[in-house]
Amino acid sequence: MIRILPTSQSNVSQVDFDNIPFGKIFSDHFFSCDFENGAWTNLEIKKLEPIPIHPGNLAWHYGQAIFEGMKAFKNKDGQAVLFRPELHSERLNASARRLCMPELPKEIFLEAIHTLVNLESAWIPPQKGAALYLRPLMIAMDEALGVRPSEKYRFMVMALPVGPYYPKPVKLITEQTYIRAADGGVGEAKAAGNYAGSLYPAKLAKEKGYDQLMWLDAKEFKYVQEVGTMNIFFVIDGKVVTPKTTGTILKGITRRSTLLLLQDLGYEVEERLIDINELVEEYKAGRFTEAFGTGTAAVSSKISLIHHDGFDMSFEQSDYPVTSLVKEQLDGMRFGDVEDKHGWILPVKQEVAI
Ligand SMILES: Cc1ncc(COP(=O)(O)O)c(C=O)c1O
């Protein structure tokens, strides 16, 4: 049962919905619950404000912190909808298992999302492509030092309006010194530390004029993994290929949806190991014609350049037919213009157990 403590005054009227910077504007309320004595308790939605954290908090010292990123949309009838929320719950729990944190029952996750979005529906920007970004987060809460799993945890969900995302084509460089994830590591988990580790190599790439890194495997620096906060796809000889998930790649929900969507549309798709040298050869032969990233933020994002070992694979001449199709179909499904064959779009429940 979620206890709702509404604020007396909303800040929604102060938001310029035509001009929303990503990640900076939070809605009025957030969801919070605690894991104590082996059970989830204190389920509440209340005013979003700073929370007191002890300096000895285990998450800060040893990194037990995992999160999710998902979106609520308004369809063309003004109804609030979610995209495959149960998959975010499953991925959160997969991350929790890897980081030795407690799983959160799917019912609590979904009830928290539905209740918060329902309460904050005025915060969902109405334009097509705009959304209310939802950030579920779980952190350790024990106040003690020593490397061990925490006994107490907190799970929270914040909501942030975000504008329509028109990603500009991105320029990538393969990373041949640093790694994002190794076999047996935590690359498949959405763990906060994975992002911290990527910041320095990403900064070096930016200094060289690239937008993001294309990560390669940790052993041979040969097999493509993913990009920044996106999974990656290549169009080779009309076939759509993406690296298979072997434990080092985040299992993107947009990736999974894109694979099925393209199959439905008659494309041949393949999940397999992709050798960077194969990409170079296929590019030289004129068969590698398009590259794009997928993720909750951008849906699908054009890749205009991949630099590897002194060689540029440029796609500036491409008109990105597959990238655009994926974006049009997924945005269209959320807006209600494109048929949702697989039941990926869920209306936000109006009646929630309070
Ligand atoms: C490292 C990484 N890879 C891929 C993705 C794309 O995943 P999704 O499609 O579930 O947003 C994300 C974003 O969550 C990410 O952070």
Side-chain angles (χ1 to χ4, degrees):
M1 216 67 131
I2 301 176
R3 201 156 75 103
I4 299 185
L5 305 160
T7 59
S8 50
Q9 215 184 339
S10 171
N11 290 324
V12 72
S13 60
Q14 292 164 26
V15 180
D16 173 4
F17 278 108
D18 292 324
N19 208 349
I20 320 172
F22 183 87
K24 296 202 171 135
I25 296 176
F26 291 81
S27 75
D28 297 318
H29 302 92
F30 79 121
F31 172 86
S32 173
C33 65
D34 295 311
F35 186 80
E36 290 170 3
N37 303 318
W40 289 99
T41 173
N42 303 332
L43 281 62
E44 282 180 347
I45 288 181
K46 55 192 174 185
K47 184 172 189 240
L48 182 90
E49 56 191 358
I51 54 172
I53 301 270
H54 191 280
N57 177 290
L58 273 187
W60 285 353
H61 296 269
Y62 311 112
Q64 271 187 309
I66 55 172
F67 65 98
E68 273 300 314
M70 54 194 286
K71 282 175 171 174
F73 306 84
K74 273 213 174 122
N75 67 15
K76 61 182 174 190
D77 302 323
Q79 187 181 27
V81 297
L82 300 165
F83 185 74
R84 311 191 79 178
E86 75 292 349
L87 293 186
H88 289 278
S89 156
E90 285 167 18
R91 190 169 64 186
L92 179 86
N93 283 338
S95 301
R97 286 191 294 275
R98 180 63 184 85
L99 278 268
C100 208
M101 300 166 82
E103 293 187 33
L104 179 81
K106 190 182 268 193
E107 302 71 48
I108 297 184
F109 182 93
L110 293 177
E111 198 73 356
I113 298 287
H114 280 272
T115 313
L116 183 66
V117 174
N118 199 28
L119 185 69
E120 303 294 61
S121 61
W123 286 86
I124 310 176
Q127 313 97 300
K128 186 174 184 177
L132 187 65
Y133 183 81
L134 301 167
R135 169 49 62 89
L137 169 76
M138 192 196 292
I139 55 169
M141 284 299 278
D142 276 12
E143 301 168 352
L145 299 190
V147 180
R148 57 168 180 82
S150 181
E151 283 172 10
K152 291 193 221 129
Y153 294 86
R154 184 161 296 170
F155 172 73
M156 293 169 272
V157 185
M158 292 149 263
L160 302 87
V162 293
Y165 201 99
Y166 303 114
K168 72 172 182 57
V170 290
K171 291 191 171 69
L172 309 179
I173 180 169
T174 55
E175 175 57 61
Q176 294 185 281
T177 304
Y178 299 98
I179 60 161
R180 178 188 171 276
D183 288 343
V186 292
E188 199 173 75
K190 209 160 164 61
N194 284 339
Y195 297 83
S198 73
L199 297 176
Y200 179 64
K203 174 175 166 253
L204 297 181
K206 284 216 173 86
E207 284 168 7
K208 288 187 215 149
Y210 299 95
D211 300 305
Q212 287 188 34
L213 290 170
M214 187 159 99
W215 297 104
L216 300 177
D217 74 280
K219 226 185 250 170
E220 298 177 76
F221 287 95
K222 190 166 150 189
Y223 297 106
V224 178
Q225 292 185 336
E226 60 185 310
V227 168
T229 57
M230 294 192 292
N231 294 111
I232 194 159
F233 286 76
F234 308 109
V235 182
I236 303 173
D237 216 6
K239 199 188 281 180
V240 186
V241 296
T242 191
K244 73 172 181 188
T245 53
T246 55
T248 55
I249 297 174
L250 192 84
K251 288 182 174 165
I253 288 155
T254 322
R255 173 190 179 279
R256 178 166 165 176
S257 309
T258 297
L259 283 167
L260 192 53
L261 178 78
L262 289 174
Q263 258 173 318
D264 285 350
L265 293 169
Y267 280 85
E268 206 180 319
V269 300
E270 240 175 44
E271 294 176 80
R272 61 170 169 87
L273 289 180
I274 302 170
D275 184 334
I276 182 66
N277 301 304
E278 173 196 342
L279 292 182
V280 170
E281 291 316 310
E282 294 288 10
Y283 183 83
K284 285 181 179 163
R287 287 190 294 262
F288 173 20
T289 51
E290 185 177 347
F292 61 97
T294 63
T296 295
V299 183
S300 70
S301 182
K302 297 170 184 172
I303 292 168
S304 59
L305 182 87
I306 303 173
H307 180 90
H308 176 66
D309 239 357
F311 184 73
D312 275 346
M313 292 174 264
S314 167
F315 301 94
E316 256 147 31
Q317 302 310 316
S318 170
D319 49 7
Y320 297 97
V322 185
T323 317
S324 309
L325 183 66
V326 169
K327 186 157 175 63
E328 188 190 290
Q329 292 278 315
L330 290 178
D331 276 346
M333 252 180 237
R334 287 154 179 164
F335 201 59
D337 287 341
V338 170
E339 189 198 352
D340 170 29
K341 273 205 223 166
H342 299 286
W344 290 344
I345 309 294
L346 287 196
V348 170
K349 284 190 276 173
Q350 303 288 305
E351 297 288 316
V352 279
I354 299 170

